[in-house]
Amino acid sequence: MKRRLMAAPLALAAVGSIVIGALLESGTPAPATQWAFVAVSLLLPALGWLLAARRPDLGYGWLLLAAALSLGLGMLGVGLDLHGGPPVLVVLLCSFFAGFYGLTWIYVPLLFPDGRLPARRWRIVAWISGLAIAAHGVGAMAAGIAPSTMDRPRSAETLAAMLTSGAGQLVTWIMAVIVFCGLVVRWRRAGEGERGQYALMVAGMFATAVGVVLTLLFSYGGVQVAAVGVIGILTVVGSLPAAIAVAVVRHRLLDIRVGLRGSRLQFVFDLRPTADEVLSDLGTALEDAAEPVEQVGRLAAAVRSGLDLRWAAVTLADGTRVVAGRESGEAVLELPVRGGLGRIECGPRDAGPLTRVDRRLLEALAVPAGLAIQSAGLVTRLVNAQEAERRRIERNIHDGVQQQLVALIAGLELARATGGGADLLAGLREQARQTLDDLRELAAGIHPSSLSQGGLVEAVEERCSRLPVRTTVSAPPPLRARRFADEVEGALYFTVSEAVANALKHAGAASIEVGLSQPDGRLSATVADDGAGFDPQTTSRRGLATLADRLDALGGELTVDSEPGKGTRVNAWVPIGG
C-alpha cells in the first residue's frame, strides 16, 4: 500500500518538472510545437502512474516513472539554464538526460512487459548498461555540460570527464542495439497472446531509432528544416510510451483493459484486481459464507474473477467439486492445494493465455485456499459429530430412560389397580431411583453439573473418582480456583473423559494419571495409562478424532503418543492467553 501511494507524487513531480521546464525553455505563450512536446512527454508519467498504482509489485510502472522523472528534471535544467539558473544546479539537472535515454533505450525494452529480465544471461547486459548510464551522467556533470556551456573551451580535467561521458554514451548506444536485437528474437519466439505486445515494442524501438537519426541530422547534420527536428524529438520522447499505451488498449498489457461501456462513449479501465485485493475480498467472502460448500464455491469464484477465467473449479480430497462459471473445455492450469487437501483447476481466459503474473496470483491464492478447504472440512466434521452425538443421546433416551419410565408408569398403574402392597411400592421406588440415576448419568454425559459449578479440576476429579482402577489427578493450586470459558473447559473435560474411557475399554489399564496445567498461555491436559498401547499410524483414534476437531476449532491441538506394550499418552491443549 505504501508503494502504491508513492506512485502519484512521483508522477506529479515528473509532470510538474516537464511542464515548467518546457515553459521556461520556450517562454509564454508557448508555441504549438512546444505544447505538442509537453503532451507527448506527459504520456510517460501517466502510464508509469497507472501501472505502478495498479501493479505495485511489478517493476515496470516504477521504471516508467523513473524515466519520466529523469526527462522532467533534464527539461527543468534546460529551462533554468536559459534563465541564468545556478550553474551547479543546472548541470546536475541536465545530467538526468543520461538516465532518461538509458532507461528508455535499454531498460524499458529489456524489462518489457513485467519489469523482469527475460533470462539470467541478460544480467551482464543490465549491469554494463547501468555502469554506462552512470558514466554518461556523472561525466557530463563533472564536465559541467549544459546547453549554454557546449561551446566553451575545456581544461584537461574537463576533457577527461567529457571522454568518460562520451564513452558511457557510446556503450549505452551499443547496449541499446543489443537489447533491440534481443527484443526482436523474443518477438519471433513469443506465443500468440504476447506476440502483439512484443511487436508494438519492436515498432516503438525502431521509431525511436529513426527519431534519434532525425534529431542528429537537424542538430549536427546540416538539415535546416525545422519540422525534421520537431518530428525527431517528438518521436524520441513519445514512441515507446505510445507503443506501451497501444499494448494496453489492444492487447491488455498487464491485464489492463480499455473499452466502451454500454452505449455510452466513455473509456473504462477494467483493471484486474491485485493479489492483495483478491486476498482481501476472498477473506471477507469466506467470513460471510455460512456453509462449507459455500466457502469452497466462493473460493472458486474468487479464482475465476481474479484471473478473468471462463470457469474455475475447486476439488476437495474427498471428491467434492465446486465450479464457478460455465465449465467448457479442458483445464489449462491446475495447482494442488498445500497439504494435499485438494486442487484448483483453471479454465481458459476470455482473452489471451494465462501469463506468469496469473500463475503468481494463483500461487498466492493457494495458501488461503488450503485454509478455506481445511476450514470447510473441519466444519463438516464438527457438524457430523454433533449430529452423531445428537443421535446417540436420542438413542440412549429412547432405549434407556424412556423405557424405564414406561415401565415405571405401568407399575404405578398396576399398583393403583391392585391396591399395591409394600413389596410392589418398594420395587417401584427402587425403579424410580435407578431411572433418576440413569438420567443424571445421561445429563452428565451432555454437560456435568460439577463442571458448571466447580470448574474443570473439580469435574475431572469427580469423573476419575468413579473409575474402577487407580487414578490420580494432579493440578497446581492456582488452577483449581480459576475458571475459563465454557467451550474451553468443556473441550478439555470431554477429552479427558474420552481418554480415560478408552484406557479402560481398549487398553486394559491398571493405573491412569491425569495432569492439568497452565503453561505459556495454554490450558493443557495429559492422560497417561499403563495399558497395552497401540500403533497410532494403523489404529483409529475413535472418539478422540471428533475431540481433536473440537480443539482445533478453538486453536488448540490433540496428540497421541503410544507404542504396543508401552501404554498411551494423550496430550491436549487450547490457548487461553496470559
Side-chain angles (χ1 to χ4, degrees), residues 272-338:
R272 197 191 71 190
T274 63
D276 290 341
E277 291 171 338
V278 173
L279 293 176
S280 177
D281 294 342
L282 176 60
T284 302
L286 293 179
E287 288 178 359
D288 295 338
E291 298 295 330
V293 175
E294 186 182 358
Q295 284 190 332
V296 178
R298 294 196 177 188
L299 171 61
V303 173
R304 182 196 177 205
S305 174
L307 300 183
D308 197 15
L309 305 172
R310 296 178 188 173
W311 61 271
V314 177
T315 304
L316 306 184
D318 61 3
T320 302
R321 192 169 187 269
V322 180
V323 181
R326 189 172 183 178
E327 185 174 359
S328 60
E330 299 288 334
V332 297
L333 178 62
E334 291 189 14
L335 181 70
V337 177
R338 294 181 182 179

Side-chain angles (χ1 to χ4, degrees), residues 90-280:
V90 167
V91 169
L92 174 63
L93 292 175
C94 287
S95 66
F96 277 93
F97 276 125
F100 167 71
Y101 293 127
L103 291 175
T104 53
W105 295 355
I106 297 176
Y107 288 99
V108 168
L110 177 61
L111 302 180
F112 183 83
D114 58 1
R116 301 175 185 271
L117 290 172
R120 294 175 60 89
R121 62 178 178 273
W122 286 98
R123 287 183 177 180
I124 184 65
V125 173
W127 277 103
I128 293 176
S129 300
L131 293 175
I133 295 170
H136 183 194
V138 174
M141 187 168 53
I145 297 177
S148 62
T149 64
M150 294 297 294
D151 298 329
R152 294 179 183 176
R154 308 289 178 178
S155 63
E157 293 80 3
T158 304
L159 288 175
M162 291 185 66
L163 288 175
T164 301
S165 178
Q169 187 175 21
L170 177 61
V171 174
T172 299
W173 288 350
I174 295 173
M175 292 296 105
V177 173
I178 294 174
V179 169
F180 177 74
C181 294
L183 185 65
V184 172
V185 173
R186 290 159 62 195
W187 164 52
R188 297 295 298 273
R189 295 178 178 177
E192 182 179 354
E194 296 180 339
R195 182 167 296 175
Q197 298 178 6
Y198 282 111
L200 287 169
M201 182 55 67
V202 170
M205 282 288 290
F206 181 78
T208 300
V210 172
V212 171
V213 172
L214 292 178
T215 303
L216 292 176
L217 288 175
F218 178 77
S219 301
Y220 305 106
V223 177
Q224 301 300 317
V225 181
V228 173
V230 172
I231 294 174
I233 194 65
L234 290 179
T235 305
V236 170
V237 173
S239 293
L240 287 179
I244 296 172
V246 175
V248 168
V249 175
R250 294 196 58 184
H251 300 284
R252 296 182 60 187
L253 176 66
L254 296 179
D255 298 301
I256 299 178
R257 180 169 57 204
V258 181
L260 298 177
R261 174 171 293 171
S263 59
R264 297 183 180 181
L265 184 61
Q266 67 179 97
F267 283 104
V268 179
F269 288 85
D270 185 9
L271 304 179
R272 197 191 71 190
T274 63
D276 290 341
E277 291 171 338
V278 173
L279 293 176
S280 177

